[in-house]
Amino acid sequence: MQQFYMPVRVVEGAGCVRAAATLIAPLGKCALIVTGRSSKKNGSLDDVVAALEGNGQRYAVFDEVLPNPTIACVRAGAARAKEAGADFVIAIGGGSPMDAAKAIALLARQDIADADLFAGRYSPDVLPMVHIPTTAGTGSEVTQYSILTDDVAESKTSIATPYIFPRLALLDGGYMASLGHNTTVNTAIDALSHAVEGMLSVKAGEVSDLLAKESISIICSLAKKIAADRLAPVDRQKLLYASMLAGMVIANTGTTAVHAMGYSLTYYHEIDHGRANGLLLGAFVAFCAQHLPERTDAILQAGSFESPAAFSQMLADLLGQREALTDAEMKKYAAKAIAAKNIANCAYQPTEAELYQMLKISLEEK
Ligand code: ZN
């Protein structure tokens, strides 16, 4: 048996936020706009405000979302939503504002204690959401995941419920024109990691594979331009599309060992999420090639690579100098990763010793 679920309406193209304003009109009377700081500079916030004003909708802005949002941050956002009387949420930004917005939309309507926040018992009473990505990486605009930093677990962990799928995703690559080189590289690698991990998931299916292959093909065809920082506007829109496809993949397959290990690199070493995945992805594909050769062949073919080594080389060209960890740190992160919920998604499940090996291959040793 197979299934594929995707309840998000996706609109894409230059100027789509203003052009699709009528789709925002039925969502409510007052929006809480959840964003970081960059939406003021890239034009996205102006477009959203123009769309809301044209519709006669009120709004309040919560722009205190920092990278890797915490529970405290989303609680502050939920309080702001209640105070403003917001009856829907608009998220603008990269993964952090989008993931925070989902938790805010949930917590604005439901009282959930910190200890129960990741336990998965939610009611459908959640504020409806519009998501406007301004980076091409997380795919959060089409997923039911809100990844938050959990200081109790010393890691990132997720709220996962179909109730937090956005209603509408608006994809305008124009907002990425001034995106910094590192952010462009790291987010593209994150999207690639989603597509690749989706194909190595026990939940991979025909539809998710189709989307994943297309996403891998687009991202890998642009890898040289990404590395050289020479993306044209049309390339930015393509990357945003590829990231959205990869988001649809993981909405159905979940992520796997790469994300499970990457969370420790982000939590303990502040390595960007996409970069953390990129550091580990080559070793994971090489590992899977030994056990699931048909799966990895399909991945390599989609990206036009002759071997896992060629795939790793493409990543190496994007990543540059790798970070160094101590042996004890690698052991600790393998032990943490083996207990993560996304390990169970691996189509071939690595042991803790194998995760440790992948970390050793992926990072320098201190
Ligand atoms: Zn990711």
Side-chain angles (χ1 to χ4, degrees), residues 218-236:
I218 293 169
I219 298 167
C220 294
S221 73
L222 291 169
K224 285 205 168 71
K225 279 192 184 176
I226 295 170
D229 205 8
R230 285 217 312 266
L231 290 168
V234 62
D235 300 324
R236 292 282 189 188

Side-chain angles (χ1 to χ4, degrees), residues 64-229:
E64 289 150 40
V65 182
L66 299 172
N68 306 313
T70 58
I71 296 171
C73 163
V74 297
R75 290 212 180 276
R80 182 73 61 83
K82 286 183 190 168
E83 197 180 281
D87 52 3
F88 71 112
V89 170
I90 300 182
I92 314 173
S96 298
M98 287 197 285
D99 284 9
K102 291 173 180 170
I104 290 169
L106 176 75
L107 291 169
R109 301 292 302 168
Q110 299 177 40
D111 288 322
I112 304 169
D114 283 5
D116 299 330
L117 195 52
F118 304 106
R121 286 183 292 275
Y122 314 105
S123 96
D125 186 15
V126 175
L127 297 179
M129 283 176 276
V130 181
H131 279 222
I132 303 168
T134 61
T135 64
T138 126
S140 186
E141 69 276 13
V142 291
T143 74
Q144 72 282 41
Y145 308 124
S146 166
I147 316 287
L148 300 175
T149 292
D150 180 359
D151 287 319
V152 176
E154 295 193 343
S155 185
K156 287 183 152 205
T157 188
S158 61
I159 298 172
T161 164
Y163 305 139
I164 59 171
F165 269 114
R167 297 275 181 91
L168 178 64
L170 301 171
L171 274 54
D172 184 344
Y175 302 140
M176 300 177 356
S178 57
L179 209 58
H181 179 60
N182 285 343
T183 306
T184 302
V185 169
N186 294 340
T187 47
I189 292 176
D190 190 29
L192 178 63
S193 193
H194 296 160
V196 169
E197 288 180 73
M199 289 185 72
L200 295 169
S201 165
V202 73
K203 297 180 196 153
E206 286 179 6
V207 180
S208 66
D209 276 358
L210 194 70
L211 303 183
K213 285 179 203 168
E214 180 66 4
S215 181
I216 292 166
S217 165
I218 293 169
I219 298 167
C220 294
S221 73
L222 291 169
K224 285 205 168 71
K225 279 192 184 176
I226 295 170
D229 205 8

